[in-house]
Amino acid sequence: MKKFLPNHLPINPIKKWLAKGRTGKLVFGTAALGAAGEYALARYFFRRTVIRGNAKQSRTMNMSGTNWEIYIPGIRASKEWLRSQPQEDIFITAYDGLKLHGTYFPCEGSDKAVICFHGYTSEGLNDYSSLAKFYLEQGFHLMIVDERSHGKSEGTYIGFGCLDRRDAKSWIEYVISRLGENCQIMLHGISMGGATVLMATGLSLPQQVKAAVSDCAFTSAYEVFQSVLKTMYHLPSFPLMNLADWMAKREAGYGLNECNAKKEVAKSQTPTLFIHGDQDTFVPCSMVYQLYGACHSEKKLLVIPGASHAEAYYKDPAAYESAVNQMIHQYFR
């Protein structure tokens, strides 16, 4: 029966399924073919979602369900304005040797800084062109990060916050070294960047980190993929997600449910603002209630009516800025 099993099949994860066919050759062959098909589908899913170059921004934007066309003129104007501001390319070395890139916008005479983390398949300057002006006007130095395997940062495997949370700590240490021990830091993340920020708050962070903003974060990569498979592809999560998780552990160095933001915020001591759109179908709005409920630090919640994925700021900028300003006034000197 070996002809049914390619050499690269993970024998241990599927041997239980194959054992069901031992009552007869035909059943065994059918089970083996089915297992091989499941493995091939999981492999395809893993490669197109976790490996850089295969994960496409256009596909992510289509899946998000947000009508970005109506915001394009404003976003372009914000990008033009941001390009005219003093800025500097910064490169640091990650814990595993990767070169990470960020764009630094100084705010003369300030001791406040915000470190911004973007969404899946995006880049820092794409996601923060509009919010950048808000933060600069509030007197913040601005560090807009390209997360690993995105933009000008190195990396083969997308980290989904699991790997990036340690990168976030490296960026925090860089900002402290640049601005001094008396600086005050805000963390702000959108989508995958939001999950990165929440997972980072579960670490032991320097006392300079005063607050965090998480916009449309997911509870874990595993659970958001599980939701996408069900709602968009009408596929069961088992065994595809189990195999994809096994591949991620073997190749990327982390499990898709290993760093669960819901578990990490339970350890957080960082005051956190949770933001979500109630029409988000990509990262379901139900996840923000799970995250908010699990968080044991001081916390606030803002749900924007009518906003889909990553649309909250554009849908209601006044409410968004007001909520962030409340955090600034409460936790920053």
Side-chain angles (χ1 to χ4, degrees), residues 5-11 36 39-40 43 246-247 250:
L5 300 175
N7 291 332
H8 60 273
L9 273 175
I11 300 301
Y39 179 85
R43 186 68 189 167
W246 177 82
M247 293 170 191
R250 184 185 66 171

Side-chain angles (χ1 to χ4, degrees), residues 61-82:
M61 291 179 69
N62 289 335
M63 291 172 67
S64 73
T66 304
N67 180 14
W68 290 109
E69 290 298 321
I70 61 177
Y71 304 116
I72 291 298
I75 292 173
R76 284 176 177 165
S78 296
K79 284 185 176 180
E80 284 299 313
W81 179 86
L82 195 58

Side-chain angles (χ1 to χ4, degrees), residues 179-213:
L179 297 182
E181 293 295 322
N182 291 325
C183 72
Q184 306 172 83
I185 297 174
M186 172 87 85
L187 304 178
H188 193 131
I190 298 174
S191 192
M192 185 183 77
T196 295
V197 165
L198 295 182
M199 293 180 194
T201 64
L203 301 173
S204 177
L205 296 181
Q207 56 87 21
Q208 287 86 353
V209 177
K210 302 301 182 184
V213 179

